C-alpha cells in the first residue's frame, strides 16, 4: 500500500504538480513583467501630462494675447469714432449757437425799432404838439 501511495505521489508529481507549478511560475513572471512595464509607462504618462499642461498654458497665453490685441483694436476704433462724432456735434453746436446769435441780433434790432416807435408815441402823447 505504501508503494502504491509512493507511485501515486510520483505520478501525480510528474503529471500534475510539475506542469501546474511551471504554469504558475510562468504566470507569476508574466504578471511581474506587466507590472514593471506599467511602472515604466507611468513615467511616460507623467511626461504626456506635463506636455499637455504646457500646451494648455501656451494656448491660454495665446488666447489671452489675442483677446488683449482685439480689445486694444476695438478701443482704438471706438475712440476714433467717438472723436469723429464729437467733432460733428461740436460743429452742429457752433452752427446752432451762430443761428441763436443771429436771431438774438435780429430780435434786438426789432426791439430797438419798437422801442423807438414807442418812445415817439409816448412823446407825442405826453407833449402835445
Amino acid at each position: 500500500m505504501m508503494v502504491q501511495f509512493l507511485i501515486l505521489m510520483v505520478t501525480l508529481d510528474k503529471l500534475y504538480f510539475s506542469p501546474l507549478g511551471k504554469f504558475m511560475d510562468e504566470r507569476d513572471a508574466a504578471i511581474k513583467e506587466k507590472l514593471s512595464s506599467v511602472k515604466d509607462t507611468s513615467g511616460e504618462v507623467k511626461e504626456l501630462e506635463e506636455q499637455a499642461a504646457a500646451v494648455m498654458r501656451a494656448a491660454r497665453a495665446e488666447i489671452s494675447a489675442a483677446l488683449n490685441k482685439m480689445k486694444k483694436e476695438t478701443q482704438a476704433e471706438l475712440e476714433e469714432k467717438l472723436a469723429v462724432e464729437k467733432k460733428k456735434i461740436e460743429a452742429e453746436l457752433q452752427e446752432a449757437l451762430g443761428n441763436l446769435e443771429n436771431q438774438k441780433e435780429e430780435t434786438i434790432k426789432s426791439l430797438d425799432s419798437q422801442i423807438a416807435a414807442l418812445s415817439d408815441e409816448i412823446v407825442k402823447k405826453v407833449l402835445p404838439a
Side-chain angles (χ1 to χ4, degrees):
M1 177 100 123
M2 183 104 142
V3 173
Q4 286 179 348
F5 182 72
L6 288 175
I7 292 173
L8 179 64
M9 277 186 58
V10 170
T11 306
L12 284 176
D13 186 49
K14 296 290 181 190
L15 295 177
Y16 184 70
F17 293 119
S18 292
L20 185 62
K22 184 179 175 186
F23 172 76
M24 297 279 282
D25 289 340
E26 288 173 359
R27 190 181 78 166
D28 190 40
I31 290 173
K32 286 181 182 179
E33 182 180 327
K34 287 180 183 178
L35 281 175
S36 67
S37 70
V38 167
K39 288 179 184 176
D40 292 342
T41 58
S42 67
E44 291 176 18
V45 168
K46 286 181 183 178
E47 286 180 27
L48 290 174
E49 286 176 347
E50 289 173 2
Q51 288 177 356
V55 168
M56 290 297 291
R57 283 191 300 271
R60 285 186 181 129
E62 187 177 321
I63 289 171
S64 177
L67 284 174
N68 287 337
K69 180 181 176 185
M70 199 181 325
K71 282 181 184 178
K72 287 178 184 177
E73 290 173 356
T74 305
Q75 185 70 24
E77 187 178 320
L78 288 175
E79 287 175 1
E80 183 180 325
K81 287 181 180 180
L82 182 63
V84 168
E85 292 298 319
K86 188 175 181 181
K87 286 180 183 178
K88 283 183 184 178
I89 290 173
E90 285 178 1
E92 290 174 4
L93 179 64
Q94 290 300 323
E95 184 180 336
L97 287 175
N99 288 340
L100 284 175
E101 190 65 33
N102 289 340
Q103 287 177 359
K104 177 182 167 186
E105 288 175 9
E106 288 176 9
T107 306
I108 289 175
K109 287 179 186 176
S110 170
L111 286 176
D112 282 343
S113 65
Q114 287 178 3
I115 288 174
L118 282 175
S119 297
D120 288 342
E121 273 188 48
I122 291 175
V123 168
K124 286 179 187 177
K125 286 186 181 181
V126 173
L127 298 174

